[in-house]
Amino acid sequence: KWSLQQAVVSAPNVPSWSIGQASLSMRQNPQQQIEGGDGYIDHIDLASLAAWKDWLPDPWSATWDQAAPQGQLKQLKWQYVGGLADLKVQSWQAQAVNLGWQPASSTKSKPLATWPGVTGLSAQFEGTGRQFKGVVDWQSGELNWPGLWAEPRQNIDLFQSDFSVVLGDEGARVEVKSAQLRSQQARVDFRLVWNNTQTAPLGHLDLQADMAFAPVGQVLRWLPTPLPESVRQYLKLALPQGEVRQTHARVLGRLDDFPFKKPGMGEFHISTQLAKVRYVTVPKAMLESPGSGEWPTLQDLSGDLVFDRMSVRLSKVKARVAQAPGIVWPVLEAQIKNLEQANVELRAEGKGPLGEALTLWKSMPLNDMTDRVLNGARAQGLAEYKMNLSIPVENTEQTQAKGNVLMLG
């Protein structure tokens, strides 16, 4: 058995590499041949390994160069079998402390990075051969995934999970179980299975996630960038405040095909319950010429919001219209049938004072479009109302409205 204290490894033209304490033992058979043994290294500074990357095979060297890993591996232990000619690591274990690496590069044609960047990750690993598993304890770190979100950097207050990895000849398989993600605004529990091949590096994902509560703005930040930018912008501006509850998300399929436009390609589904939401049906920030008047704003909205592949639906809505709070709307719903040609179709049926309906009309751009002919009008009594809005998300200037009024009594 050999042991080293404060070992430093060096080679010609390569900076030295500090590995702290280290030991190596060998077993011999009766023929005095080495048949196995074990080893131990107190710690390895990953950043110091960069100078040795050229000793790796070309694909691994290029990946190391791009990822630029940092942090420390501690308490690295391994057992091996065979001699110098046929040595094979049988099992190993290690601790990772303050681990970090850079994300893969992305391009205009392939905007989603193959792997994310992280900082501040700690974990425990153990493995046999080409399989390993462990526990992640990630606190006060950052996840950076270009191409997945419009804001690729996400702060991680706490992330804990069990995981396992199998490395095959054609690709890898990663399973994450009992995962818990915590931030200042949300708590997410999820599990996933991901695998890839050399011909499909983005791989196949099977993800299920649940979130009990979060501000609506946080959920909108997590909408993936493969969804049209105009839709993500509209939702961000149209839903400036409120809460989401009992959110469930499901993604199943090849990530190259996300968001799975056609049935059979895969599954992308998010369902959530809205509460205390303010819904600005036509945000002024999306109008080239805002002008006077505002389209209806729904206050204290609650209801079910569902993303299903390339469609969005808002149903079972209860809300009041800010410009006409006295009108009750037993029917309120909205949908976008196709996110690629996003058009919000809002349908409402209500009942209430005719005077408030007149106030609503006067507050909308329709009043200017009709030369304000009803500005001097007064009204009393009750009426039933039907209103439909059609809002082209990429050209909200072309918003159309239609409806009718039925006088009561």
Side-chain angles (χ1 to χ4, degrees):
K1 180 175 181 178
W2 294 270
S3 64
L4 301 172
Q5 299 288 333
Q6 302 303 319
V8 175
V9 180
S10 62
N13 303 317
V14 177
S16 60
W17 164 35
S18 173
I19 59 174
Q21 300 178 2
S23 65
L24 179 66
S25 68
M26 297 181 182
R27 297 191 308 273
Q28 293 181 324
N29 60 23
Q31 290 75 37
Q32 302 299 307
Q33 295 173 326
I34 298 174
E35 62 177 11
D38 56 65
Y40 169 79
I41 296 178
D42 175 59
H43 73 268
I44 299 175
D45 187 338
L46 292 179
S48 70
L49 292 179
W52 297 74
K53 64 181 176 62
D54 292 336
W55 290 31
L56 297 171
D58 288 341
W60 289 97
S61 176
T63 300
W64 187 284
D65 196 36
Q66 188 173 0
Q70 297 184 345
Q72 289 192 338
L73 292 180
K74 293 188 174 183
Q75 306 298 313
L76 178 59
K77 303 175 183 178
W78 69 93
Q79 294 180 333
Y80 65 92
V81 294
L84 296 177
D86 58 349
L87 187 146
K88 180 179 180 181
V89 176
Q90 193 172 38
S91 64
W92 60 273
Q93 63 184 63
Q95 298 177 12
V97 179
N98 201 25
L99 200 61
W101 59 81
Q102 296 299 312
S105 60
S106 59
T107 63
K108 188 173 183 180
S109 60
K110 294 184 177 180
L112 181 60
T114 306
W115 70 79
V118 304
T119 61
L121 186 148
S122 295
Q124 295 182 344
F125 311 86
E126 62 179 31
T128 57
R130 304 180 74 177
Q131 303 182 30
F132 61 95
K133 61 182 180 179
V135 178
V136 174
D137 185 8
W138 190 3
Q139 300 184 36
S140 302
E142 182 184 81
L143 175 67
N144 179 12
W145 203 331
L148 183 58
W149 300 294
E151 301 176 33
R153 297 181 181 272
Q154 303 285 333
N155 292 328
I156 304 295
D157 293 334
L158 176 65
F159 175 79
Q160 295 175 324
S161 75
D162 299 330
F163 72 93
S164 63
V165 178
V166 178
L167 302 176
D169 293 334
E170 297 297 324
R173 183 182 189 274
V174 179
E175 182 174 2
V176 176
K177 298 181 291 185
S178 305
Q180 298 179 348
L181 174 65
R182 306 286 184 270
S183 69
Q184 292 182 351
Q185 296 185 316
R187 166 180 171 171
V188 184
D189 299 299
F190 69 91
R191 59 187 183 275
L192 68 83
V193 176
W194 174 85
N195 57 77
N196 75 338
T197 63
Q198 295 179 358
T199 57
L202 286 182
H204 181 282
L205 179 65
D206 183 353
L207 166 69
Q208 294 192 59
D210 294 282
M211 180 170 59
F213 170 87
V216 66
Q218 178 61 59
V219 176
L220 297 178
R221 286 183 65 204
W222 287 341
L223 289 178
T225 54
L227 297 180
E229 181 180 359
S230 59
V231 173
R232 289 183 280 111
Q233 181 188 23
Y234 174 79
L235 292 174
K236 180 180 179 180
L237 295 173
L239 303 174
Q241 67 184 52
E243 303 169 357
V244 296
R245 302 172 180 175
Q246 306 304 318
T247 302
H248 177 73
R250 170 75 161 158
V251 179
L252 176 65
R254 283 169 46 98
L255 292 178
D256 282 328
D257 298 328
F258 185 85
F260 316 120
K261 300 176 183 179
K262 299 178 181 178
M265 294 179 68
E267 182 178 353
F268 170 55
H269 187 90
I270 301 175
S271 60
T272 190
Q273 297 175 6
L274 302 180
K276 303 177 183 179
V277 166
R278 182 167 179 256
Y279 176 23
V280 183
T281 56
V282 184
K284 278 199 168 186
M286 296 188 71
L287 296 171
E288 292 183 4
S289 304
S292 61
E294 294 184 2
W295 294 99
T297 295
L298 305 183
Q299 300 275 49
D300 298 324
L301 182 148
S302 63
D304 295 342
L305 179 65
V306 175
F307 291 80
D308 188 30
R309 293 191 183 91
M310 296 299 290
S311 67
V312 183
R313 183 175 181 83
L314 178 62
S315 62
K316 299 181 181 178
V317 176
K318 293 182 180 180
R320 61 184 180 86
V321 176
Q323 297 93 328
I327 298 178
V328 178
W329 303 90
V331 176
L332 264 175
E333 59 184 26
Q335 66 176 340
I336 301 176
K337 294 181 179 180
N338 184 355
L339 293 178
E340 288 189 309
Q341 300 174 344
N343 199 78
V344 181
E345 302 289 346
L346 185 143
R347 183 172 75 92
E349 296 181 8
K351 179 180 179 181
L354 189 59
E356 293 214 6
L358 191 58
T359 300
L360 174 61
W361 174 275
K362 293 177 182 179
S363 71
M364 292 195 298
L366 293 172
N367 194 37
D368 286 344
M369 297 176 187
T370 55
D371 295 327
R372 305 184 181 185
V373 295
L374 296 179
N375 269 11
R378 300 289 185 271
Q380 293 182 340
L382 295 176
E384 292 181 346
Y385 313 97
K386 290 185 179 181
M387 179 176 62
N388 293 81
L389 291 181
S390 179
I391 308 165
V393 170
E394 293 192 355
N395 188 9
T396 52
E397 300 280 354
Q398 300 300 316
T399 296
Q400 298 181 5
K402 63 180 180 179
N404 58 54
V405 179
L406 176 62
M407 301 292 294
L408 300 177

